[in-house]
């Protein structure tokens, strides 16, 4: 019903800036403008088990899991219809003891579900920093990409966790890896208004001069959200405020038309 109401009340006026880039409220907490009608909560989908083994894992029933594996009723890498393994569920629901057990049982650490998500990605989605560390210590690959062309570091951006991004990068995650749409972690963080991790990436070696497919710069995205401190950092680090996107707009022009306070 809510999504239907959003469509009914979508903003119908002509955008003031190209594709409405700077038409939304600059400091809004949520994405309520019409330009985000297609944006969904990526991690609100149910993640429910389909068999007794996976159900026991989700509920953290260590002894039951051990018994089911011991009786060989289930294999450690058994998959459900969504191609999810026990490790996917253990990581998503934050059961570190079961993660360690499954790894001891030599489960496939980089198993892919039907969305090509790894257990590492599921741990990140649930903010399970310790599980992330354990998986990486045991050889989990941080650079595998899911069906959206997003690697673990991009998932760290979506949950706005610099601590997780730091661990991933320490274990070889590519700080400049791009999604299908060409977004590096930094550009994605700025697009999604994940400002904590954006600041972390800016100060830890990310390329500040990347652009999206419309040649919109990191500075333009910082202006979009009226992030005065990030704008200041980018300017001090040499991001050119005279650059123009494919529409011929500069960061300053976006700030003026969008009534931003960053300039």
């Amino acid at each position: 019903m809510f999504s239907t109401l959003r469509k009914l009340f979508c903003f119908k006026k002509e955008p003031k800036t190209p594709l409405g880039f700077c038409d939304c409220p600059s400091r809004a907490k949520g994405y309520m403008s019409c330009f985000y009608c297609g944006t969904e909560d990526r991690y609100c989908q149910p993640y429910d088990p389909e068999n007794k083994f996976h159900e026991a894992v989700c509920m953290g029933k260590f002894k039951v899991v051990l018994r089911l594996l011991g009786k060989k009723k289930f294999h450690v890498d058994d998959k459900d219809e969504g191609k999810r393994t026990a490790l996917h569920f253990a990581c998503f629901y934050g059961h570190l003891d079961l993660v360690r057990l499954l790894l001891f049982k030599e489960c496939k650490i980089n198993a892919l579900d039907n969305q090509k998500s790894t257990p590492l990605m599921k741990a990140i989605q649930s903010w399970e920093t310790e599980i992330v560390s354990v998986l990486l210590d045991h050889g989990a690959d941080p650079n595998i990409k899911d069906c959206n062309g997003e690697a673990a570091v991009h998932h760290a951006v979506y949950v706005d966790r610099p601590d997780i991004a730091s661990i991933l990068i320490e274990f070889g995650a590519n700080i400049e890896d791009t999604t299908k749409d060409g977004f590096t972690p930094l550009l994605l963080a700025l697009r999604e208004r994940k400002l904590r991790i954006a600041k972390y990436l800016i100060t830890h070696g990310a390329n500040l001069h990347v652009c999206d497919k419309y040649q919109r710069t990191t500075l333009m995205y910082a202006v979009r959200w009226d992030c005065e401190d990030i704008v200041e950092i980018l300017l001090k680090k040499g991001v050119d405020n005279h650059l123009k996107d494919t529409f011929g707009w500069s960061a300053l022009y976006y700030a003026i038309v969008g009534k931003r306070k960053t300039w």
Side-chain angles (χ1 to χ4, degrees), residues 24-137:
C24 55
S26 60
R27 297 181 185 273
K29 291 183 179 180
Y31 293 145
M32 294 302 295
S33 84
C34 72
F35 302 106
Y36 294 95
C37 285
T39 302
E40 61 179 325
D41 186 340
R42 299 171 57 82
Y43 304 135
C44 71
Q45 300 299 319
Y47 207 68
D48 301 325
E50 297 175 2
N51 59 56
K52 290 182 179 180
F53 175 44
H54 290 162
E55 182 179 344
V57 171
C58 292
M59 297 178 71
K61 294 183 176 180
F62 190 93
K63 291 182 179 179
V64 176
V65 171
L66 202 58
R67 185 174 71 249
L68 290 172
L69 288 174
K71 291 183 177 181
K72 297 185 178 179
K73 288 186 176 182
F74 295 93
H75 186 272
V76 68
D77 287 320
D78 278 348
K79 295 185 176 183
D80 63 10
E81 291 184 2
K83 295 186 178 180
R84 301 171 297 184
T85 67
L87 188 60
H88 281 96
F89 287 108
C91 291
F92 183 81
Y93 285 99
H95 298 307
L96 179 59
D97 55 343
L98 286 174
V99 169
R100 293 187 186 279
L101 172 65
L102 295 168
L103 292 173
F104 177 76
K105 295 287 186 179
E106 298 183 340
C107 66
K108 293 180 180 178
I109 197 168
N110 293 315
L112 303 179
D113 66 12
N114 61 1
Q115 299 298 310
K116 294 187 178 180
S117 292
T118 63
L120 178 62
M121 292 173 185
K122 306 314 293 185
I124 294 168
Q125 290 171 16
S126 293
W127 303 6
E128 296 293 341
T129 308
E130 191 170 359
I131 291 179
V132 168
S133 294
V134 169
L135 292 173
L136 291 168
D137 275 333

Side-chain angles (χ1 to χ4, degrees), residues 2 26 40 52 82 85 92 101 143 151 187 197 228 237 242:
F2 180 71
S26 60
E40 61 179 325
K52 290 182 179 180
T85 67
F92 183 81
L101 172 65
N143 292 312
L187 203 56
I197 197 165
E228 187 175 354
K237 288 183 174 289
H242 295 104

